[in-house]
Amino acid sequence: MKYFFHSTIAIFFVLTSFLSNAQISFSGKIINDKNENLTGASVVVEKTFLGTFADENGKFLFKNLKTGIYTVKFAFLGYEAETKTFSLAKDTFFEIILKPVEQLTDEVVVSATRASHQTPVAYSQFDKKSLEKQNAGKDIPYLLSLTPSLVSTSDAGTGIGYSNFRIRGTDANRINVTVNGIPLNDPESQYVYWVDLPDLTSSVDNLQVQRGVGTSTNGAATFGATINLQTTTLLQQPSVQIDHSFGSFNTQKYTFSANSGLLKNHFTFDTRLSKIYSDGYVDRAFADLKSWFISGAFYNEKTLIRVNIFSGNEKTYQAWYGIPKAALDTNRTFNPYSYKNEIDNYEQTHYQAFFSQKISENLYFNSAFHYTKGKGYYEQFKENQDVTSYGILIYDPIFETNLIRQLWLDNDFYGFTSSLQYRVKKNEFTLGGSYNNYDGDHFGEIIWAEFAKNIPINYRWYFNVGKKTDFNIFAKANFSIFENFNIFGDVQYRHIDYSIEGIEKERIDISQSHAFDFLNPKTGIFWKINNLNETYFSFGLAQREPNRDNFIDNKNIEIPKKEILFDYEVGYKFNSLKMNILLNFYFMNYENQLVLTGEINDIGNAIMRNVPKSYRTGIEIAAGIKPFEFFEWTGNITFSKNKIKNFVQKTALYDTLWNFQGYKEFTESETDISFSPNIIAANQLIFKPLKNFEISLLSKFVDKQFIDNTASSQRQLDSYFVNDLQFDYSFSTKYFSKFSIQLKINNLLNEKYETNAWVYRILFTNNTEYVDYGYFPQALRHYLISFSLKF
């Protein structure tokens, strides 16, 4: 870690020494073809950190520029973006006329659920170019690894297959994810399983990550972060693209994509086929992934109709159990699963239909209907199973058998979203919401048994149904009370009905029903001090229902309560020609956060309990410098404190004959929340020695993390500092528009590290203990080579 800090500080001071005092100004006025001011139009100086918005008179101003050539992009919703190049040698004023678009832009589809420049929240934006640069086959959690406060993890150790992330220590089932404004989180578990939609990135046009409570959206509760993806948008010209990657662990990625361009000035069609395969770093932890995407759209000046259908099929050999602690130094790739078909086999298909209408110059209506079908199973080999525990009657002396079983999920998720947006000058008003329904069948089948005399073929030993409806409506307003000062208000009402009927795999009745009503207000202010400096403050309240596991595990103990989050954020931004700085302070105060306390239920599963008080607080610092055309540095670091107040850890107590004797309690006034590192840092250096050739060094530091909530050094993940080196070269000819080749060396310094783990600990009355661990080691040095050909 010290090398990270020393190099970062040195680079910062050396590069800032090159920033000379600027001398001239560039100003202008943005109007339409009717000579009307386009208040709020964005103005971005490309290849710099400068950006601003037109004021009520349509005017903008950049001060203190150096003489030189600048490329500036002007954009406004409903108008064609304009890019112009200026050679500035003195103070310059320029009038920009933007033309109305002939087609309604796809931006309106996601704008209701996104933060804009003047929204007082901390967010990161990724465009298609930046996503493509990292898309060699790894899942989205790894493509976003340079996002502030984000930590990625992978079961197989390669970022392909089962992977996930945490933001500010918040786990994946507390992070809201939408695709085109449509919920992606599984309604019951509230997780997003990225493996279900492999290579979705190749069909993503842009992506936004909001940290904290953020703005209101659809679907699962936003309890630490929001991720909003937008898929394919309008491409005026036809193209065909072929991508291929290969590398260590027999990793292979094949992607074919094509778009029609705009046909007859109204129609577009897009398609993609993808296949990804990797043996994984961990033994047998292969991933065999396939996906496809089809989209068709109709455009005119005031109407947009789009239909998306996309699907993914994943077959992954399981590495869920992790690596025993004793094997970390001797056999880091050891996988305790050895049955050849210990796989997860799941297919998920999404259907989306969108209708957007420009009602007037300032009023837009959007609606979408969606349906998701998922079906698949997890296959297991189980030894010495008591057949009576499967509800099988005994007619002979055989009470135990080896067997193979499949745990199935067959689910349907459907609903609609809608929004109405009104924009006038710098003021924006949004009314939106959604209604979603989920129906999930959970069941298990025995497909083989060594002693099968009394077991029917495909015997189903459990079945239960989860049903959930989720309704929400929200209203947002962002308005300017005077020049460069905005007030933001946002309130959401959300109602949830959730029920389970049937028995779980232990043949225990888990039938129950729950209802929740949440009112989630948010407010904030944004002040643009001048063209270089901005500041903001926001407060948001979020409430979250427990997930399926929380309800099932606590059914006979104590019904879990809703979780409540009070989120306070204060931010400051500085943007100049060659430098930007972002400071964001957050205080996330929880009531009844669900955490592991060491308790187990009557069948031995670890359960989560509400703790009255806990909090996360920290400061996120992000910065970037572009002193020369050929060199760029960006980096971020988060310092945080994540605590549970008055925590009672309960450790199961057994006698020497393994009879449960209750719990031994350990009380702490404050203890660290598990998997919440106090320091997270990322760094990227880009060097461009030639016009089409660049070298990038990407670094990630993650401080130590505790595996449970006891803050014990015996149960923690060590800190790690990982570096990736990347080479990119591209060129074009008259035969194709672009050919790119990339070499990426991951974990350049061969760091041994683990990103996730679990622990099971019990005590005995004779003062001994039993502790079992599962660690998830990540791959040592490995490489990926990628080719991309675009016509």
Side-chain angles (χ1 to χ4, degrees):
M1 180 60 189
K2 66 179 180 180
Y3 301 110
F4 178 89
F5 282 118
H6 292 169
S7 62
T8 299
I9 292 171
I11 291 168
F12 181 83
F13 283 107
V14 170
L15 296 182
T16 52
S17 68
F18 288 95
L19 303 178
S20 59
N21 293 326
Q23 302 172 1
I24 62 176
S25 67
F26 173 57
S27 60
K29 184 175 182 179
I30 307 173
I31 59 175
N32 62 16
D33 55 358
K34 298 178 182 178
N35 202 33
E36 297 170 331
N37 299 330
L38 295 184
T39 301
S42 70
V43 187
V44 176
V45 182
E46 295 187 348
K47 297 183 179 180
T48 76
F49 297 106
L50 282 179
T52 190
F53 289 85
D55 64 18
E56 292 184 358
N57 299 312
K59 293 183 178 181
F60 67 90
L61 171 66
F62 292 114
K63 293 181 178 179
N64 303 325
L65 300 181
K66 294 194 299 182
T67 59
I69 298 174
Y70 296 90
T71 299
V72 186
K73 183 176 181 179
F74 306 89
F76 190 68
L77 182 65
Y79 291 81
E80 294 180 9
E82 188 81 27
T83 300
K84 293 184 176 293
T85 300
F86 303 89
S87 180
L88 303 181
K90 60 181 181 180
D91 291 353
T92 301
F93 178 89
F94 202 92
E95 187 173 80
I96 308 296
I97 301 175
L98 296 185
K99 300 178 182 179
V101 294
E102 296 182 13
Q103 300 86 22
L104 187 63
T105 61
D106 291 88
E107 177 189 353
V108 298
V109 172
V110 296
S111 57
T113 55
R114 283 200 170 175
S116 63
H117 176 74
Q118 294 173 308
T119 306
V121 300
Y123 69 91
S124 302
Q125 196 87 12
F126 299 84
D127 60 17
K128 189 173 185 65
K129 183 179 178 180
S130 63
L131 292 170
E132 283 182 339
K133 185 178 177 181
Q134 301 299 325
N135 185 22
K138 293 194 175 186
D139 299 329
I140 284 179
Y142 280 77
L143 303 188
L144 302 180
S145 63
L146 295 181
T147 303
S149 305
L150 186 145
V151 177
S152 306
T153 183
S154 167
D155 285 7
T158 57
I160 300 174
Y162 270 91
S163 62
N164 228 312
F165 57 82
R166 299 183 181 89
I167 297 178
R168 295 183 179 175
T170 302
D171 59 24
N173 77 333
R174 290 173 167 84
I175 295 174
N176 172 280
V177 182
T178 58
V179 177
N180 303 316
I182 292 172
L184 189 61
N185 299 71
D186 174 75
E188 287 195 289
S189 69
Q190 300 181 36
Y191 276 93
V192 169
Y193 298 97
W194 299 102
V195 69
D196 293 341
L197 293 172
D199 202 26
L200 177 62
T201 310
S202 291
S203 296
V204 171
D205 181 80
N206 57 83
L207 182 157
Q208 185 181 88
V209 180
Q210 297 179 32
R211 303 187 299 280
V213 167
T215 64
S216 289
T217 185
N218 300 313
T222 302
F223 219 66
T226 300
I227 297 180
N228 183 301
L229 302 93
Q230 182 171 21
T231 56
T232 302
T233 58
L234 172 63
L235 296 172
Q236 296 281 349
Q237 299 301 319
S239 65
V240 174
Q241 185 166 331
I242 300 171
D243 300 293
H244 174 47
S245 302
F246 64 91
S248 304
F249 316 115
N250 194 27
T251 298
Q252 304 167 55
K253 173 180 177 285
Y254 304 90
T255 301
F256 171 84
S257 56
N259 80 85
S260 66
L262 189 61
L263 302 174
K264 297 184 178 180
N265 210 38
H266 290 297
F267 300 94
T268 65
F269 299 94
D270 299 85
T271 186
R272 172 183 58 82
L273 291 171
S274 300
K275 177 177 171 57
I276 301 173
Y277 181 87
S278 178
D279 285 337
Y281 172 66
V282 175
D283 295 341
R284 296 177 296 283
F286 72 80
D288 187 1
L289 315 173
K290 302 178 182 69
S291 68
W292 52 268
F293 181 97
I294 298 174
S295 181
F298 167 81
Y299 295 88
N300 66 23
E301 185 179 352
K302 294 186 176 183
T303 305
L304 165 61
I305 300 172
R306 180 180 287 278
V307 175
N308 296 334
I309 306 174
F310 52 101
S311 181
N313 176 259
E314 58 92 4
K315 292 182 180 178
T316 53
Y317 193 95
Q318 293 315 318
W320 292 347
Y321 194 80
I323 310 303
K325 187 176 185 179
L328 285 177
D329 295 327
T330 58
N331 185 6
R332 292 179 59 80
T333 65
F334 174 77
N335 188 347
Y337 293 118
S338 58
Y339 167 55
K340 68 177 182 179
N341 209 40
E342 191 89 13
I343 64 168
D344 191 52
N345 186 344
Y346 188 77
E347 184 170 2
Q348 190 177 84
T349 303
H350 297 250
Y351 304 85
Q352 301 179 339
F354 303 91
F355 172 76
S356 298
Q357 182 70 32
K358 182 179 179 180
I359 300 173
S360 69
E361 196 67 28
N362 305 110
L363 187 62
Y364 294 82
F365 172 75
N366 302 282
S367 63
F369 293 87
H370 68 90
Y371 171 64
T372 301
K373 177 62 181 179
K375 188 173 184 179
Y377 61 86
Y378 166 37
E379 188 165 310
Q380 298 175 305
F381 175 78
K382 305 294 286 186
E383 292 184 298
N384 302 324
Q385 297 293 287
D386 181 352
V387 293
T388 61
S389 66
Y390 289 83
I392 300 169
L393 298 176
I394 302 298
Y395 298 106
D396 54 43
I398 298 174
F399 291 90
E400 292 185 345
T401 183
N402 297 334
L403 56 83
I404 298 171
R405 67 186 195 181
Q406 293 178 345
L407 281 61
W408 280 83
L409 174 61
D410 184 351
N411 55 2
D412 300 272
F413 179 52
Y414 54 91
F416 70 89
T417 67
S418 185
S419 66
L420 192 65
Q421 294 177 272
Y422 179 71
R423 299 182 179 187
V424 55
K425 295 184 178 181
K426 287 190 175 182
N427 303 317
E428 298 180 9
F429 304 89
T430 301
L431 179 66
S434 67
Y435 176 84
N436 303 295
N437 192 84
Y438 174 86
D439 191 337
D441 294 343
H442 304 256
F443 57 91
E445 295 181 344
I446 298 175
I447 64 171
W448 174 87
E450 186 175 7
F451 305 107
K453 181 178 179 180
N454 299 314
I455 304 178
I457 296 175
N458 293 334
Y459 170 73
R460 185 174 293 187
W461 85 93
Y462 79 90
F463 179 86
N464 65 80
V465 178
K467 294 182 180 291
K468 187 172 186 178
T469 59
D470 185 341
F471 167 76
N472 91 94
I473 186 170
F474 59 83
K476 304 178 185 180
N478 196 341
F479 55 94
S480 177
I481 58 173
F482 54 84
E483 184 68 21
N484 296 328
F485 192 91
N486 281 54
I487 292 182
F488 174 76
D490 180 341
V491 62
Q492 178 197 54
Y493 167 72
R494 184 165 175 248
H495 175 79
I496 301 104
D497 284 305
Y498 179 53
S499 65
I500 308 173
E501 293 183 7
I503 58 173
E504 184 56 301
K505 56 181 175 292
E506 290 82 11
R507 293 187 57 79
I508 295 174
D509 184 7
I510 56 172
S511 300
Q512 53 190 289
S513 61
H514 307 275
F516 296 90
D517 290 281
F518 299 140
L519 189 65
N520 300 318
K522 309 167 187 70
T523 188
I525 57 173
F526 175 90
W527 179 27
K528 183 177 180 180
I529 303 169
N530 52 44
N531 277 340
L532 301 182
N533 299 278
E534 302 169 350
T535 187
Y536 61 84
F537 165 79
S538 68
F539 165 78
L541 184 148
Q543 301 178 80
R544 173 184 177 271
E545 74 277 16
N547 64 21
R548 172 185 168 90
D549 287 343
N550 300 146
F551 286 126
I552 291 175
D553 293 340
N554 284 277
K555 181 178 185 294
N556 298 319
I557 303 174
E558 179 181 278
I559 297 175
K561 305 172 185 176
K562 66 181 181 182
E563 300 175 87
I564 304 174
L565 168 60
F566 303 89
D567 181 27
Y568 304 84
E569 310 259 343
V570 179
Y572 166 77
K573 298 177 184 178
F574 170 81
N575 293 282
S576 69
L577 190 66
K578 296 184 179 294
M579 180 193 300
N580 78 330
I581 298 172
L582 167 67
L583 305 177
N584 188 76
F585 169 80
Y586 63 89
F587 178 64
M588 301 168 68
N589 192 31
Y590 298 86
E591 288 185 7
N592 297 321
Q593 185 176 188
L594 283 160
V595 303
L596 291 169
T597 64
E599 293 175 89
I600 58 176
N601 61 17
D602 50 4
I603 57 174
N605 290 335
I607 63 174
M608 301 184 79
R609 285 292 193 95
N610 299 104
V611 293
K613 298 291 182 181
S614 55
Y615 66 90
R616 302 181 188 275
T617 186
I619 184 169
E620 298 164 327
I621 306 170
I625 297 177
K626 294 181 180 179
F628 314 107
E629 283 290 324
F630 60 84
F631 187 85
E632 177 181 348
W633 170 82
T634 56
N636 60 74
I637 188 166
T638 300
F639 299 96
S640 67
K641 185 178 180 182
N642 311 274
K643 297 288 186 179
I644 302 173
K645 297 181 179 180
N646 303 316
F647 179 66
V648 179
Q649 170 73 20
K650 296 184 178 183
T651 305
L653 185 65
Y654 289 81
D655 63 23
T656 54
L657 298 177
W658 286 86
N659 296 310
F660 181 62
Q661 301 295 307
Y663 293 98
K664 186 172 183 178
E665 295 186 356
F666 303 87
T667 303
E668 297 283 347
S669 58
E670 276 197 344
T671 187
D672 288 89
I673 303 175
S674 60
F675 301 106
S676 301
N678 292 335
I679 303 173
I680 303 171
N683 179 73
Q684 180 175 233
L685 297 169
I686 300 177
F687 177 57
K688 300 178 181 179
L690 302 173
K691 181 180 179 181
N692 299 316
F693 177 58
E694 73 177 38
I695 304 169
S696 306
L697 177 66
L698 302 89
S699 306
K700 188 79 175 185
F701 173 82
V702 178
D703 201 8
K704 67 181 180 181
Q705 308 170 62
F706 295 108
I707 301 172
D708 62 14
N709 294 311
T710 62
S712 169
S713 60
Q714 302 298 314
R715 294 179 289 281
Q716 73 174 35
L717 297 171
D718 293 334
S719 62
Y720 57 87
F721 181 43
V722 179
N723 295 271
D724 300 336
L725 184 62
Q726 183 170 311
F727 302 88
D728 291 273
Y729 179 66
S730 63
F731 63 93
S732 59
T733 72
K734 63 180 181 180
Y735 301 107
F736 48 81
S737 59
K738 186 176 182 181
F739 177 79
S740 304
I741 182 171
Q742 179 187 97
L743 168 63
K744 188 168 186 178
I745 306 172
N746 298 287
N747 196 0
L748 179 67
L749 303 180
N750 222 30
E751 176 90 349
K752 289 185 177 180
Y753 68 107
E754 298 80 43
T755 56
N756 200 4
W758 56 265
V759 61
Y760 176 68
R761 178 173 176 250
I762 62 174
L763 301 176
F764 292 98
T765 52
N766 63 356
N767 294 323
T768 60
E769 69 174 14
Y770 169 81
V771 186
D772 193 13
Y773 298 90
Y775 285 81
F776 296 86
Q778 304 301 287
L780 300 177
R781 187 186 302 115
H782 59 291
Y783 72 91
L784 280 171
I785 298 176
S786 302
F787 300 92
S788 179
L789 182 61
K790 187 174 184 179
F791 300 92

